[in-house]
Amino acid sequence: MNIGDVAQKAGLPPKTIRYYEDIGLITPLRDTNGYRVFRESDLHKLAFLGRARTLGFTIEDCRTLLALYEDDTRASADVKDLAQAHLAKIEDKITQLESMRDTLSNLVKSCAGDNRPDCPILSDLATGQH
Amino acid sequence: MNIGDVAQKAGLPPKTIRYYEDIGLITPLRDTNGYRVFRESDLHKLAFLGRARTLGFTIEDCRTLLALYEDDTRASADVKDLAQAHLAKIEDKITQLESMRDTLSNLVKSCAGDNRPDCPILSDLATGQH
DNA sequence: GATAGGGCCTCCAGTCGCTGGAAGGTCAAG
DNA sequence: CTTGACCTTCCAGCGACTGGAGGCCCTATC
């Protein structure tokens, strides 16, 4: 398989796949013409990576997850710990964003949105007073 | 005021303030010794920027917001549009993160987290099957 | 007057995870 | 033989800082 095929199948752009090789997440073979040659196992890893990234794991987390995946002597506790830590970060981010959303939506509601200059959004930003 | 004082008052690191000058958000004066000299108006702008950033506005949004703030002939509609667009992006992000959170928390729940290798988290990443 | 410490300066590099583009080799079809 | 789609490498840029090196300035103390 060439990079285009595997990109299609894994649902990742070729650029991303080359990048993953660069940082050592995968090591496809090479044809005599210099083209990358992907085995099934490479495709499998790429799909794994794609899903892990979709769940928001960092690249370094993905590296660890791949390593755990390939180690039959792993303890599931290690995977769970990683996932739990990541989950906690996501929950923090959600909380943060929700707070932004609440403030912003109040401000938006309170703004007339007409052609006059008076604007509670700007007043709030200027003074920090709600 | 020197950068240290204004950093304290505005709640922003000196590095960030220098960066804001670099990209033209503020233009403090200079003392004969080369030190930046901040006026009240600079402090005010920095506080404004800090609050806008806290609400998640991008730097370019902040630039626009500052410009609107300083233009008495603005239409509040322009501010509101900007805020609303930003709010929509935040809501999208929240939705995305919530989906990650839900998937992840299910996976975490289903994983024993002991010293055996069997792990539904890895199985899911490997196969895309829940 | 020397020195120590803190604060300030600039400039460069790195963060994260790609993404775009330039310049060029390869391959299959017509 | 040419066209066009693919592949290659390498370099630069995104956003919003942040860290660090190397060096000047200012004040206080000895």
Side-chain angles (χ1 to χ4, degrees):
Chain A
M1 262 184 300
N2 280 351
I3 201 168
D5 305 324
V6 86
Q8 189 97 47
K9 289 187 189 172
L12 294 171
K15 281 260 179 188
T16 299
I17 296 175
R18 291 193 194 101
Y19 173 67
Y20 286 174
E21 183 186 7
D22 262 12
I23 61 174
L25 287 178
I26 52 165
T27 45
L29 304 173
R30 291 292 176 141
D31 206 341
T32 48
N33 59 11
Y35 285 20
R36 286 170 185 81
V37 174
F38 294 85
R39 292 153 289 188
E40 278 303 318
S41 62
D42 295 316
L43 174 55
H44 192 72
K45 275 194 198 180
L46 286 170
F48 183 102
L49 290 168
R51 281 186 284 268
R53 293 287 299 130
T54 299
L55 287 181
F57 285 104
T58 66
I59 289 286
E60 283 318 300
D61 282 350
C62 289
R63 198 189 296 280
T64 306
L65 286 169
L66 259 187
L68 286 167
Y69 179 59
E70 305 199 317
D71 173 11
D72 344 323
T73 74
R74 71 184 164 252
S76 68
D78 291 345
V79 184
K80 187 170 184 169
D81 287 354
L82 190 55
Q84 240 163 358
H86 177 47
L87 181 54
K89 273 183 205 159
I90 286 178
E91 280 166 350
D92 281 359
K93 248 188 219 166
I94 290 176
T95 304
Q96 231 182 66
L97 286 172
E98 280 172 345
S99 143
M100 287 181 191
R101 181 196 57 191
D102 295 346
T103 306
L104 262 174
S105 87
N106 280 333
L107 288 175
V108 163
K109 264 180 224 151
S110 69
C111 175
D114 54 22
N115 60 353
R116 286 171 302 168
D118 319 75
C119 178
I121 302 173
L122 292 178
S123 307
D124 180 275
L125 289 172
T127 65
Q129 308 299 313
H130 307 289
Chain B
M1 261 182 300
N2 279 352
I3 201 167
D5 305 322
V6 85
Q8 189 96 46
K9 289 187 189 174
L12 294 171
K15 281 258 178 191
T16 299
I17 297 175
R18 290 192 195 103
Y19 173 67
Y20 287 174
E21 182 186 8
D22 262 11
I23 61 173
L25 286 178
I26 52 165
T27 46
L29 304 174
R30 292 289 179 143
D31 207 341
T32 49
N33 59 11
Y35 285 22
R36 288 169 184 80
V37 175
F38 295 84
R39 290 154 290 189
E40 277 304 317
S41 63
D42 296 316
L43 174 55
H44 192 71
K45 275 194 197 181
L46 286 169
F48 183 103
L49 289 169
R51 281 187 283 265
R53 294 286 302 127
T54 300
L55 288 181
F57 285 104
T58 65
I59 289 286
E60 284 318 301
D61 282 350
C62 289
R63 197 188 297 281
T64 305
L65 285 169
L66 259 188
L68 286 168
Y69 179 59
E70 304 199 319
D71 172 12
D72 342 323
T73 75
R74 73 189 163 246
S76 68
D78 291 345
V79 184
K80 187 170 185 171
D81 287 354
L82 190 56
Q84 242 163 355
H86 177 48
L87 181 55
K89 274 185 204 157
I90 286 178
E91 281 166 349
D92 280 1
K93 247 189 218 164
I94 290 175
T95 304
Q96 231 183 65
L97 286 172
E98 280 172 345
S99 144
M100 287 181 190
R101 181 196 57 191
D102 295 347
T103 306
L104 262 174
S105 86
N106 279 333
L107 287 174
V108 163
K109 264 180 224 152
S110 69
C111 176
D114 54 21
N115 60 354
R116 286 171 303 167
D118 319 75
C119 178
I121 302 173
L122 293 178
S123 308
D124 180 275
L125 289 173
T127 64
Q129 310 297 312
H130 306 290

